PDB file of all heavy atoms in Angstrom:
ATOM      1  N   ASP A   1     -14.110  53.608 -51.108  1.00 91.00           N
ATOM      2  CA  ASP A   1     -12.742  54.138 -51.182  1.00 91.00           C
ATOM      3  C   ASP A   1     -12.010  54.008 -49.849  1.00 91.00           C
ATOM      4  O   ASP A   1     -10.940  54.579 -49.670  1.00 91.00           O
ATOM      5  CB  ASP A   1     -12.757  55.592 -51.639  1.00 91.00           C
ATOM      6  CG  ASP A   1     -13.279  55.737 -53.050  1.00 91.00           C
ATOM      7  OD1 ASP A   1     -12.955  54.872 -53.885  1.00 91.00           O
ATOM      8  OD2 ASP A   1     -14.009  56.721 -53.319  1.00 91.00           O
ATOM      9  N   PHE A   2     -12.634  53.291 -48.904  1.00 89.00           N
ATOM     10  CA  PHE A   2     -12.082  53.074 -47.577  1.00 89.00           C
ATOM     11  C   PHE A   2     -11.989  54.373 -46.777  1.00 89.00           C
ATOM     12  O   PHE A   2     -11.068  54.608 -46.022  1.00 89.00           O
ATOM     13  CB  PHE A   2     -10.739  52.348 -47.655  1.00 89.00           C
ATOM     14  CG  PHE A   2     -10.509  51.361 -46.541  1.00 89.00           C
ATOM     15  CD1 PHE A   2     -11.563  50.677 -45.962  1.00 89.00           C
ATOM     16  CD2 PHE A   2      -9.244  51.103 -46.093  1.00 89.00           C
ATOM     17  CE1 PHE A   2     -11.347  49.758 -44.942  1.00 89.00           C
ATOM     18  CE2 PHE A   2      -9.003  50.193 -45.066  1.00 89.00           C
ATOM     19  CZ  PHE A   2     -10.074  49.517 -44.498  1.00 89.00           C
ATOM     20  N   LYS A   3     -12.976  55.236 -46.988  1.00 94.00           N
ATOM     21  CA  LYS A   3     -13.083  56.472 -46.212  1.00 94.00           C
ATOM     22  C   LYS A   3     -14.239  56.298 -45.215  1.00 94.00           C
ATOM     23  O   LYS A   3     -15.216  55.628 -45.487  1.00 94.00           O
ATOM     24  CB  LYS A   3     -13.348  57.671 -47.123  1.00 94.00           C
ATOM     25  CG  LYS A   3     -12.158  57.976 -48.018  1.00 94.00           C
ATOM     26  CD  LYS A   3     -12.415  59.178 -48.869  1.00 94.00           C
ATOM     27  CE  LYS A   3     -11.199  59.427 -49.773  1.00 94.00           C
ATOM     28  NZ  LYS A   3     -11.435  60.541 -50.676  1.00 94.00           N
ATOM     29  N   VAL A   4     -14.105  56.927 -44.059  1.00 95.00           N
ATOM     30  CA  VAL A   4     -15.074  56.774 -42.975  1.00 95.00           C
ATOM     31  C   VAL A   4     -16.405  57.460 -43.360  1.00 95.00           C
ATOM     32  O   VAL A   4     -16.429  58.625 -43.713  1.00 95.00           O
ATOM     33  CB  VAL A   4     -14.538  57.379 -41.670  1.00 95.00           C
ATOM     34  CG1 VAL A   4     -15.573  57.290 -40.557  1.00 95.00           C
ATOM     35  CG2 VAL A   4     -13.242  56.711 -41.256  1.00 95.00           C
ATOM     36  N   ARG A   5     -17.485  56.661 -43.269  1.00 95.00           N
ATOM     37  CA  ARG A   5     -18.826  57.191 -43.510  1.00 95.00           C
ATOM     38  C   ARG A   5     -19.559  57.464 -42.193  1.00 95.00           C
ATOM     39  O   ARG A   5     -20.344  58.390 -42.104  1.00 95.00           O
ATOM     40  CB  ARG A   5     -19.657  56.208 -44.324  1.00 95.00           C
ATOM     41  CG  ARG A   5     -19.227  56.146 -45.782  1.00 95.00           C
ATOM     42  CD  ARG A   5     -20.063  55.213 -46.551  1.00 95.00           C
ATOM     43  NE  ARG A   5     -21.480  55.533 -46.317  1.00 95.00           N
ATOM     44  CZ  ARG A   5     -22.478  55.028 -47.035  1.00 95.00           C
ATOM     45  NH1 ARG A   5     -22.224  54.183 -47.990  1.00 95.00           N
ATOM     46  NH2 ARG A   5     -23.716  55.367 -46.778  1.00 95.00           N
ATOM     47  N   SER A   6     -19.316  56.603 -41.196  1.00 94.00           N
ATOM     48  CA  SER A   6     -19.866  56.851 -39.869  1.00 94.00           C
ATOM     49  C   SER A   6     -18.970  56.207 -38.820  1.00 94.00           C
ATOM     50  O   SER A   6     -18.182  55.314 -39.125  1.00 94.00           O
ATOM     51  CB  SER A   6     -21.312  56.315 -39.768  1.00 94.00           C
ATOM     52  OG  SER A   6     -21.347  54.932 -39.941  1.00 94.00           O
ATOM     53  N   TRP A   7     -19.130  56.668 -37.606  1.00 94.00           N
ATOM     54  CA  TRP A   7     -18.164  56.378 -36.551  1.00 94.00           C
ATOM     55  C   TRP A   7     -18.907  56.499 -35.242  1.00 94.00           C
ATOM     56  O   TRP A   7     -19.480  57.546 -34.945  1.00 94.00           O
ATOM     57  CB  TRP A   7     -17.114  57.458 -36.712  1.00 94.00           C
ATOM     58  CG  TRP A   7     -15.936  57.584 -35.829  1.00 94.00           C
ATOM     59  CD1 TRP A   7     -15.851  58.293 -34.677  1.00 94.00           C
ATOM     60  CD2 TRP A   7     -14.639  57.079 -36.061  1.00 94.00           C
ATOM     61  NE1 TRP A   7     -14.603  58.270 -34.188  1.00 94.00           N
ATOM     62  CE2 TRP A   7     -13.819  57.525 -35.037  1.00 94.00           C
ATOM     63  CE3 TRP A   7     -14.076  56.291 -37.049  1.00 94.00           C
ATOM     64  CZ2 TRP A   7     -12.470  57.196 -34.951  1.00 94.00           C
ATOM     65  CZ3 TRP A   7     -12.749  55.981 -36.966  1.00 94.00           C
ATOM     66  CH2 TRP A   7     -11.951  56.429 -35.937  1.00 94.00           C
ATOM     67  N   ASN A   8     -18.959  55.455 -34.439  1.00 96.00           N
ATOM     68  CA  ASN A   8     -19.742  55.535 -33.208  1.00 96.00           C
ATOM     69  C   ASN A   8     -18.910  56.086 -32.040  1.00 96.00           C
ATOM     70  O   ASN A   8     -17.698  56.228 -32.143  1.00 96.00           O
ATOM     71  CB  ASN A   8     -20.387  54.195 -32.886  1.00 96.00           C
ATOM     72  CG  ASN A   8     -19.421  53.160 -32.356  1.00 96.00           C
ATOM     73  OD1 ASN A   8     -18.219  53.311 -32.449  1.00 96.00           O
ATOM     74  ND2 ASN A   8     -19.970  52.094 -31.810  1.00 96.00           N
ATOM     75  N   PRO A   9     -19.575  56.406 -30.904  1.00 96.00           N
ATOM     76  CA  PRO A   9     -18.857  56.970 -29.750  1.00 96.00           C
ATOM     77  C   PRO A   9     -17.723  56.074 -29.234  1.00 96.00           C
ATOM     78  O   PRO A   9     -16.691  56.588 -28.791  1.00 96.00           O
ATOM     79  CB  PRO A   9     -19.957  57.140 -28.700  1.00 96.00           C
ATOM     80  CG  PRO A   9     -21.197  57.364 -29.509  1.00 96.00           C
ATOM     81  CD  PRO A   9     -21.035  56.455 -30.698  1.00 96.00           C
ATOM     82  N   ALA A  10     -17.893  54.761 -29.285  1.00 96.00           N
ATOM     83  CA  ALA A  10     -16.828  53.865 -28.840  1.00 96.00           C
ATOM     84  C   ALA A  10     -15.598  53.996 -29.745  1.00 96.00           C
ATOM     85  O   ALA A  10     -14.462  53.908 -29.265  1.00 96.00           O
ATOM     86  CB  ALA A  10     -17.316  52.420 -28.796  1.00 96.00           C
ATOM     87  N   ALA A  11     -15.797  54.212 -31.031  1.00 96.00           N
ATOM     88  CA  ALA A  11     -14.667  54.426 -31.940  1.00 96.00           C
ATOM     89  C   ALA A  11     -13.972  55.740 -31.612  1.00 96.00           C
ATOM     90  O   ALA A  11     -12.739  55.828 -31.704  1.00 96.00           O
ATOM     91  CB  ALA A  11     -15.132  54.411 -33.393  1.00 96.00           C
ATOM     92  N   GLU A  12     -14.746  56.736 -31.208  1.00 95.00           N
ATOM     93  CA  GLU A  12     -14.135  58.011 -30.796  1.00 95.00           C
ATOM     94  C   GLU A  12     -13.188  57.770 -29.620  1.00 95.00           C
ATOM     95  O   GLU A  12     -12.062  58.270 -29.610  1.00 95.00           O
ATOM     96  CB  GLU A  12     -15.218  59.027 -30.388  1.00 95.00           C
ATOM     97  CG  GLU A  12     -16.003  59.579 -31.539  1.00 95.00           C
ATOM     98  CD  GLU A  12     -16.994  60.655 -31.117  1.00 95.00           C
ATOM     99  OE1 GLU A  12     -17.051  61.025 -29.913  1.00 95.00           O
ATOM    100  OE2 GLU A  12     -17.718  61.143 -32.004  1.00 95.00           O
ATOM    101  N   LYS A  13     -13.646  56.987 -28.642  1.00 95.00           N
ATOM    102  CA  LYS A  13     -12.806  56.711 -27.461  1.00 95.00           C
ATOM    103  C   LYS A  13     -11.595  55.862 -27.847  1.00 95.00           C
ATOM    104  O   LYS A  13     -10.498  56.085 -27.351  1.00 95.00           O
ATOM    105  CB  LYS A  13     -13.629  55.963 -26.406  1.00 95.00           C
ATOM    106  CG  LYS A  13     -14.667  56.825 -25.744  1.00 95.00           C
ATOM    107  CD  LYS A  13     -15.487  56.022 -24.747  1.00 95.00           C
ATOM    108  CE  LYS A  13     -16.600  56.873 -24.189  1.00 95.00           C
ATOM    109  NZ  LYS A  13     -17.518  56.086 -23.335  1.00 95.00           N
ATOM    110  N   THR A  14     -11.778  54.922 -28.723  1.00 93.00           N
ATOM    111  CA  THR A  14     -10.695  54.014 -29.117  1.00 93.00           C
ATOM    112  C   THR A  14      -9.608  54.741 -29.894  1.00 93.00           C
ATOM    113  O   THR A  14      -8.411  54.555 -29.643  1.00 93.00           O
ATOM    114  CB  THR A  14     -11.236  52.845 -29.965  1.00 93.00           C
ATOM    115  OG1 THR A  14     -12.203  52.144 -29.193  1.00 93.00           O
ATOM    116  CG2 THR A  14     -10.128  51.905 -30.385  1.00 93.00           C
ATOM    117  N   PHE A  15     -10.023  55.563 -30.868  1.00 93.00           N
ATOM    118  CA  PHE A  15      -9.042  56.176 -31.782  1.00 93.00           C
ATOM    119  C   PHE A  15      -8.727  57.632 -31.471  1.00 93.00           C
ATOM    120  O   PHE A  15      -7.786  58.184 -32.037  1.00 93.00           O
ATOM    121  CB  PHE A  15      -9.540  56.040 -33.224  1.00 93.00           C
ATOM    122  CG  PHE A  15      -9.633  54.617 -33.676  1.00 93.00           C
ATOM    123  CD1 PHE A  15     -10.853  53.971 -33.737  1.00 93.00           C
ATOM    124  CD2 PHE A  15      -8.498  53.913 -34.023  1.00 93.00           C
ATOM    125  CE1 PHE A  15     -10.937  52.657 -34.159  1.00 93.00           C
ATOM    126  CE2 PHE A  15      -8.571  52.584 -34.427  1.00 93.00           C
ATOM    127  CZ  PHE A  15      -9.795  51.958 -34.485  1.00 93.00           C
ATOM    128  N   GLY A  16      -9.520  58.267 -30.629  1.00 94.00           N
ATOM    129  CA  GLY A  16      -9.224  59.641 -30.223  1.00 94.00           C
ATOM    130  C   GLY A  16      -9.677  60.734 -31.177  1.00 94.00           C
ATOM    131  O   GLY A  16      -9.292  61.878 -31.002  1.00 94.00           O
ATOM    132  N   TYR A  17     -10.454  60.403 -32.171  1.00 94.00           N
ATOM    133  CA  TYR A  17     -10.993  61.398 -33.100  1.00 94.00           C
ATOM    134  C   TYR A  17     -12.502  61.505 -32.900  1.00 94.00           C
ATOM    135  O   TYR A  17     -13.176  60.491 -32.730  1.00 94.00           O
ATOM    136  CB  TYR A  17     -10.767  60.986 -34.567  1.00 94.00           C
ATOM    137  CG  TYR A  17      -9.329  60.979 -35.010  1.00 94.00           C
ATOM    138  CD1 TYR A  17      -8.608  59.798 -35.030  1.00 94.00           C
ATOM    139  CD2 TYR A  17      -8.710  62.144 -35.429  1.00 94.00           C
ATOM    140  CE1 TYR A  17      -7.292  59.778 -35.469  1.00 94.00           C
ATOM    141  CE2 TYR A  17      -7.400  62.125 -35.867  1.00 94.00           C
ATOM    142  CZ  TYR A  17      -6.696  60.952 -35.873  1.00 94.00           C
ATOM    143  OH  TYR A  17      -5.396  60.937 -36.309  1.00 94.00           O
ATOM    144  N   THR A  18     -13.035  62.700 -32.973  1.00 94.00           N
ATOM    145  CA  THR A  18     -14.477  62.841 -32.971  1.00 94.00           C
ATOM    146  C   THR A  18     -14.988  62.452 -34.356  1.00 94.00           C
ATOM    147  O   THR A  18     -14.231  62.403 -35.321  1.00 94.00           O
ATOM    148  CB  THR A  18     -14.924  64.283 -32.684  1.00 94.00           C
ATOM    149  OG1 THR A  18     -14.486  65.121 -33.754  1.00 94.00           O
ATOM    150  CG2 THR A  18     -14.369  64.789 -31.353  1.00 94.00           C
ATOM    151  N   GLU A  19     -16.275  62.193 -34.432  1.00 91.00           N
ATOM    152  CA  GLU A  19     -16.849  61.824 -35.734  1.00 91.00           C
ATOM    153  C   GLU A  19     -16.663  62.964 -36.737  1.00 91.00           C
ATOM    154  O   GLU A  19     -16.322  62.723 -37.901  1.00 91.00           O
ATOM    155  CB  GLU A  19     -18.346  61.505 -35.572  1.00 91.00           C
ATOM    156  CG  GLU A  19     -18.960  61.001 -36.865  1.00 91.00           C
ATOM    157  CD  GLU A  19     -20.419  60.601 -36.724  1.00 91.00           C
ATOM    158  OE1 GLU A  19     -21.124  61.192 -35.883  1.00 91.00           O
ATOM    159  OE2 GLU A  19     -20.836  59.708 -37.464  1.00 91.00           O
ATOM    160  N   GLU A  20     -16.817  64.195 -36.295  1.00 93.00           N
ATOM    161  CA  GLU A  20     -16.632  65.336 -37.185  1.00 93.00           C
ATOM    162  C   GLU A  20     -15.212  65.399 -37.754  1.00 93.00           C
ATOM    163  O   GLU A  20     -15.001  65.757 -38.899  1.00 93.00           O
ATOM    164  CB  GLU A  20     -16.963  66.649 -36.469  1.00 93.00           C
ATOM    165  CG  GLU A  20     -18.427  66.813 -36.090  1.00 93.00           C
ATOM    166  CD  GLU A  20     -18.816  66.027 -34.827  1.00 93.00           C
ATOM    167  OE1 GLU A  20     -17.938  65.725 -34.002  1.00 93.00           O
ATOM    168  OE2 GLU A  20     -20.000  65.692 -34.720  1.00 93.00           O
ATOM    169  N   GLU A  21     -14.225  65.049 -36.931  1.00 95.00           N
ATOM    170  CA  GLU A  21     -12.835  65.080 -37.375  1.00 95.00           C
ATOM    171  C   GLU A  21     -12.493  63.969 -38.374  1.00 95.00           C
ATOM    172  O   GLU A  21     -11.647  64.167 -39.241  1.00 95.00           O
ATOM    173  CB  GLU A  21     -11.896  64.935 -36.169  1.00 95.00           C
ATOM    174  CG  GLU A  21     -11.908  66.102 -35.220  1.00 95.00           C
ATOM    175  CD  GLU A  21     -11.118  65.831 -33.953  1.00 95.00           C
ATOM    176  OE1 GLU A  21     -11.203  64.717 -33.402  1.00 95.00           O
ATOM    177  OE2 GLU A  21     -10.406  66.758 -33.508  1.00 95.00           O
ATOM    178  N   ILE A  22     -13.165  62.826 -38.251  1.00 96.00           N
ATOM    179  CA  ILE A  22     -12.757  61.651 -39.044  1.00 96.00           C
ATOM    180  C   ILE A  22     -13.607  61.405 -40.276  1.00 96.00           C
ATOM    181  O   ILE A  22     -13.148  60.760 -41.220  1.00 96.00           O
ATOM    182  CB  ILE A  22     -12.713  60.391 -38.144  1.00 96.00           C
ATOM    183  CG1 ILE A  22     -11.843  59.297 -38.730  1.00 96.00           C
ATOM    184  CG2 ILE A  22     -14.111  59.891 -37.863  1.00 96.00           C
ATOM    185  CD1 ILE A  22     -10.384  59.556 -38.703  1.00 96.00           C
ATOM    186  N   LEU A  23     -14.830  61.911 -40.316  1.00 96.00           N
ATOM    187  CA  LEU A  23     -15.693  61.649 -41.471  1.00 96.00           C
ATOM    188  C   LEU A  23     -15.021  62.075 -42.764  1.00 96.00           C
ATOM    189  O   LEU A  23     -14.438  63.149 -42.866  1.00 96.00           O
ATOM    190  CB  LEU A  23     -17.026  62.379 -41.329  1.00 96.00           C
ATOM    191  CG  LEU A  23     -18.010  61.801 -40.337  1.00 96.00           C
ATOM    192  CD1 LEU A  23     -19.305  62.614 -40.331  1.00 96.00           C
ATOM    193  CD2 LEU A  23     -18.316  60.357 -40.600  1.00 96.00           C
ATOM    194  N   GLY A  24     -15.042  61.172 -43.746  1.00 96.00           N
ATOM    195  CA  GLY A  24     -14.447  61.460 -45.043  1.00 96.00           C
ATOM    196  C   GLY A  24     -12.959  61.183 -45.124  1.00 96.00           C
ATOM    197  O   GLY A  24     -12.367  61.240 -46.205  1.00 96.00           O
ATOM    198  N   LYS A  25     -12.335  60.877 -43.985  1.00 95.00           N
ATOM    199  CA  LYS A  25     -10.903  60.583 -43.973  1.00 95.00           C
ATOM    200  C   LYS A  25     -10.671  59.126 -44.364  1.00 95.00           C
ATOM    201  O   LYS A  25     -11.458  58.252 -44.101  1.00 95.00           O
ATOM    202  CB  LYS A  25     -10.319  60.836 -42.587  1.00 95.00           C
ATOM    203  CG  LYS A  25     -10.455  62.251 -42.084  1.00 95.00           C
ATOM    204  CD  LYS A  25      -9.394  63.135 -42.638  1.00 95.00           C
ATOM    205  CE  LYS A  25      -9.229  64.463 -41.968  1.00 95.00           C
ATOM    206  NZ  LYS A  25     -10.284  65.373 -41.883  1.00 95.00           N
ATOM    207  N   HIS A  26      -9.531  58.874 -44.975  1.00 91.00           N
ATOM    208  CA  HIS A  26      -9.145  57.527 -45.384  1.00 91.00           C
ATOM    209  C   HIS A  26      -8.708  56.718 -44.151  1.00 91.00           C
ATOM    210  O   HIS A  26      -8.240  57.266 -43.162  1.00 91.00           O
ATOM    211  CB  HIS A  26      -7.975  57.590 -46.380  1.00 91.00           C
ATOM    212  CG  HIS A  26      -7.681  56.283 -47.017  1.00 91.00           C
ATOM    213  ND1 HIS A  26      -6.757  55.411 -46.509  1.00 91.00           N
ATOM    214  CD2 HIS A  26      -8.214  55.675 -48.111  1.00 91.00           C
ATOM    215  CE1 HIS A  26      -6.699  54.326 -47.259  1.00 91.00           C
ATOM    216  NE2 HIS A  26      -7.580  54.454 -48.238  1.00 91.00           N
ATOM    217  N   ALA A  27      -8.867  55.423 -44.240  1.00 87.00           N
ATOM    218  CA  ALA A  27      -8.521  54.512 -43.141  1.00 87.00           C
ATOM    219  C   ALA A  27      -7.084  54.665 -42.684  1.00 87.00           C
ATOM    220  O   ALA A  27      -6.755  54.392 -41.530  1.00 87.00           O
ATOM    221  CB  ALA A  27      -8.796  53.081 -43.559  1.00 87.00           C
TER     222      ALA A  27
END
């Protein structure tokens, strides 16, 4: 469904969201 399942530390730095904030969110 294009929702985030996992997110690495570099993605946190790039997009500014922690993994906890973005998990389950749509792209």
Side-chain angles (χ1 to χ4, degrees):
D1 295 322
F2 217 31
K3 293 182 181 176
V4 177
R5 287 182 51 169
S6 63
W7 178 270
N8 75 345
E12 288 184 2
K13 290 178 185 173
T14 301
F15 296 103
Y17 293 98
T18 65
E19 185 177 30
E20 293 79 24
E21 292 172 318
I22 201 71
L23 285 181
K25 300 278 194 302
H26 190 268

